Amino acid sequence: MKILYFAWLRERLDRGEEIVDPPASVRSVSDLIAWLRARDPAAELAMAKPEIIKAAIDARIVSHDTPIAGARVIAFFPPMTGG
Amino acid sequence: MKILYFAWLRERLDRGEEIVDPPASVRSVSDLIAWLRARDPAAELAMAKPEIIKAAIDARIVSHDTPIAGARVIAFFPPMTGG
Amino acid sequence: MGVRIQEAAFDPGAELNAFSELSEGAGAVVTFTGLVRSDPGDPVSALMLECYPELALNQIGAIVAEARVRFGLLDETVIHRYGTLQPGEPIVQVMTLAPHREAAFAGAEFLMDYLKTDAPFWKKEATAQGKRWVEHRDADDKAKDRWR
Amino acid sequence: MGVRIQEAAFDPGAELNAFSELSEGAGAVVTFTGLVRSDPGDPVSALMLECYPELALNQIGAIVAEARVRFGLLDETVIHRYGTLQPGEPIVQVMTLAPHREAAFAGAEFLMDYLKTDAPFWKKEATAQGKRWVEHRDADDKAKDRWR
C-alpha cells in the first residue's frame, strides 16, 4: 500500500510518500502508525503524538481504529488550516 | 416650508412635494400631520394612520413629537423597504 | 469608505475587484449582492425603486460609520440603485474588508439588516395582476433588532 | 454547483459575475474572498499552501452538498488555491446564491467554517524570522461547532 505524508509530517520524514507492506498483524490505522514508528527513528519522533495526527484511507478521512484491509492509499497529516 | 411625500403617500396625494405655511400653533410633526389632514380630504385619508407614517426634518429621521420650528424640508413616508 | 446612491447599473465583479485592492492587514472580503427577485409562482416583470437620496446618504453614512467601529472593518462600500430594474439585475451591493472572516461577515450582515429597515427606498413590483408596493417585513425588524 | 482546487490565480470579480448569471427565484449572492494576510507588525513575504487534492474534492464536495440542502441554496461555488502566494492575493472564494439574504449569508459562513477545519490544506508562512507552519486555531473548531 502507498502512504502519503503532508505538511510538517512530510518535512520531518523527508518524504511525501512511500510504499510499505506491513504484516497481517497490522490491522488498524493505529497499528499502522505503531508499525511505521517502530521501523524508523524519524517516524518514531514525527508521529510521537498519534492523537494529533489525522488519517485518510483512499481519500476519505477515517478514525484511528478503522481497519486498513483493502486500502490502496493511506494518508497522514496534521490538523488542517484551509480557507 | 417644503413638504415631501414618498411611495404610496405620494401616490394617494397625487403630489411629491408642496410648499406650506402652517400657523404658529402647529409646533410638532404630529401637529403638522393633523393640520395637513384637516385642510385636504386626500391627506385626511392617506394619513389616517399617523403611527405608520415616518418623518424626516432636513434629511434626518425624527419622531412625531419633534418641534418643526426652523425646518426647511419635512418628508413623510411609509416604512422603508430598501436593500 | 464609500456610499453611492445611483440610477445607473453597476458591475458587481468590477466593484469587488476595485474594492479589494491590496490593503495591509486585510484577510477577508465579504460581498453581498442583492438581485431583483422574481418568484417563479408569481413573476415580477419590473421593480420600481423610489428613493429619498439626501436622507439615504445620511442614513447609510451613519450605519457605515457604526459598522466600521463596531466590527473593526478596514474598509466598506455600499452601492444602492433606484429607478426601474429588471428581474435578475443587481439592486444593492455591500462590501466589507477586515483582517478576519468573522468581522467581514458580521459587518456585511449588519449593514444589510439596517439597509432593509433604515434606508429610505420603497419598492413597487409590476406583476401580471398589476403594480403593488412591497410591504415592510416584520422579519426585517427582527433581523435588525439582533444587533442591539 | 462547482468545486475547484487549483494552483492558478483566479479573478474574484470575474468569478462573481460568472456565478450570478440570471437564475429564476434568486435574490441574494454572498461572496467570501480570502486574501493572503500580512500582519503589519509581523509581515509575511509569501504563503505556501500544501494540498491533498483528491481528499479536498471529496471533503469540499460533501460540505457543499450539505450546505445546499441545509440552507436551500440555489447554487454555490468553492474555489481554493494551493502553491506559493503573495500577500494580498486571493486564496479562496466561496459564493452562494439563494432566494433571500439570510440563507446566502448562512451558507457562505457555514462553508468557510468547514473549509477552515475540514479541507486538507496546510499553510506555511515565510517571514523575516524564517518559515513556520500556521497552527490550527481552536477558534476555528468552535466556529464549526456552532452549526451542529
Side-chain angles (χ1 to χ4, degrees):
Chain A
M1 67 184 57
K2 187 195 267 190
I3 312 288
L4 304 179
Y5 303 104
F6 292 96
W8 52 254
L9 210 49
R10 171 183 57 72
E11 285 183 343
R12 291 186 198 170
L13 295 170
D14 203 20
R15 56 187 179 268
E17 59 180 79
E18 63 185 325
I19 306 291
V20 300
D21 188 12
S25 61
V26 173
R27 289 194 175 83
S28 68
V29 171
S30 279
D31 294 344
L32 180 61
I33 292 174
W35 181 78
L36 289 166
R37 289 181 63 193
R39 66 176 203 136
D40 174 6
E44 170 64 27
L45 261 164
M47 302 177 107
K49 289 185 181 171
E51 67 275 15
I52 63 164
I53 292 171
K54 293 179 178 288
I57 295 182
D58 295 336
R60 302 279 171 188
I61 288 184
V62 296
S63 61
H64 286 202
D65 58 3
T66 306
I68 61 169
R72 292 180 297 112
V73 179
I74 300 184
F76 293 109
F77 43 87
M80 298 168 267
T81 53
Chain B
M1 66 184 59
K2 186 194 270 190
I3 312 286
L4 303 178
Y5 302 104
F6 292 95
W8 52 255
L9 210 48
R10 172 182 55 71
E11 286 183 343
R12 291 184 197 172
L13 294 170
D14 203 21
R15 57 187 180 267
E17 59 178 78
E18 62 185 327
I19 305 292
V20 300
D21 188 13
S25 61
V26 174
R27 289 195 173 84
S28 68
V29 171
S30 280
D31 293 344
L32 180 60
I33 293 175
W35 182 78
L36 290 165
R37 291 180 64 194
R39 68 180 199 132
D40 174 7
E44 170 63 27
L45 260 164
M47 302 177 107
K49 288 184 180 171
E51 66 276 15
I52 63 166
I53 292 171
K54 293 180 177 287
I57 294 182
D58 295 336
R60 302 279 170 188
I61 288 184
V62 296
S63 61
H64 286 201
D65 59 3
T66 306
I68 61 169
R72 290 179 299 112
V73 178
I74 301 184
F76 292 110
F77 43 86
M80 299 169 265
T81 54
Chain C
M1 189 193 296
V3 177
R4 281 157 43 200
I5 312 293
Q6 62 186 50
E7 187 164 10
F10 63 87
D11 178 325
E15 296 292 345
L16 167 55
N17 283 349
F19 178 76
S20 57
E21 296 281 298
L22 181 60
S23 170
E24 201 174 34
V29 186
V30 168
T31 305
F32 176 87
T33 314
L35 311 173
V36 178
R37 186 170 166 275
S38 178
D39 193 314
D42 182 16
V44 164
S45 58
L47 182 73
M48 280 73 71
L49 257 168
E50 189 169 331
C51 173
Y52 179 7
E54 294 86 349
L55 181 60
L57 286 172
N58 285 341
Q59 290 284 98
I60 300 174
I63 296 164
V64 163
E66 185 180 341
R68 168 169 284 232
V69 172
R70 183 163 177 169
F71 301 103
L73 302 179
L74 299 169
D75 199 6
E76 59 291 304
T77 287
V78 173
I79 306 165
H80 205 307
R81 288 182 68 191
Y82 60 90
T84 300
L85 286 79
Q86 306 306 311
E89 272 195 82
I91 305 173
V92 61
Q93 187 154 305
V94 163
M95 296 177 285
T96 55
L97 185 73
H100 297 288
R101 73 188 188 285
E102 295 85 352
F105 271 121
E109 289 188 67
F110 173 88
L111 287 171
M112 280 309 304
D113 285 346
Y114 272 82
L115 285 180
K116 286 275 173 187
T117 58
D118 287 21
F121 294 86
W122 299 273
K123 290 181 181 138
K124 192 177 194 180
E125 294 174 337
T127 73
Q129 289 77 45
K131 293 178 179 174
R132 66 189 174 208
W133 289 99
V134 172
E135 294 267 335
H136 179 80
R137 291 166 66 210
D138 287 341
D140 287 330
D141 289 328
K142 290 208 183 82
K144 189 181 79 169
D145 287 347
R146 71 185 158 129
W147 301 105
R148 290 223 173 132
Chain D
M1 190 194 294
V3 177
R4 280 158 43 198
I5 313 293
Q6 62 186 50
E7 186 165 10
F10 63 87
D11 178 324
E15 296 293 345
L16 168 55
N17 283 349
F19 177 76
S20 57
E21 296 281 298
L22 181 61
S23 172
E24 203 174 34
V29 186
V30 167
T31 305
F32 176 87
T33 313
L35 310 173
V36 178
R37 186 171 167 274
S38 179
D39 193 314
D42 182 16
V44 164
S45 59
L47 182 74
M48 280 74 72
L49 257 167
E50 188 168 331
C51 174
Y52 180 7
E54 295 87 349
L55 181 61
L57 286 173
N58 286 341
Q59 291 282 97
I60 300 174
I63 296 164
V64 163
E66 184 181 341
R68 170 171 283 232
V69 173
R70 182 163 178 169
F71 302 103
L73 302 179
L74 299 168
D75 199 6
E76 59 291 304
T77 286
V78 173
I79 307 165
H80 204 307
R81 290 182 67 190
Y82 60 89
T84 300
L85 286 79
Q86 307 305 313
E89 273 195 81
I91 304 173
V92 61
Q93 185 153 308
V94 164
M95 296 177 284
T96 55
L97 185 72
H100 297 289
R101 73 187 189 285
E102 295 84 352
F105 271 121
E109 287 186 69
F110 173 88
L111 287 170
M112 280 308 305
D113 286 345
Y114 272 83
L115 284 180
K116 286 274 171 188
T117 57
D118 288 20
F121 293 86
W122 299 274
K123 290 182 180 138
K124 192 176 192 180
E125 294 174 337
T127 72
Q129 289 77 46
K131 293 177 180 176
R132 65 188 175 210
W133 289 99
V134 172
E135 294 269 334
H136 180 80
R137 290 166 66 210
D138 288 340
D140 287 329
D141 289 327
K142 289 208 184 82
K144 190 181 77 167
D145 287 346
R146 73 186 157 128
W147 302 104
R148 290 220 175 137

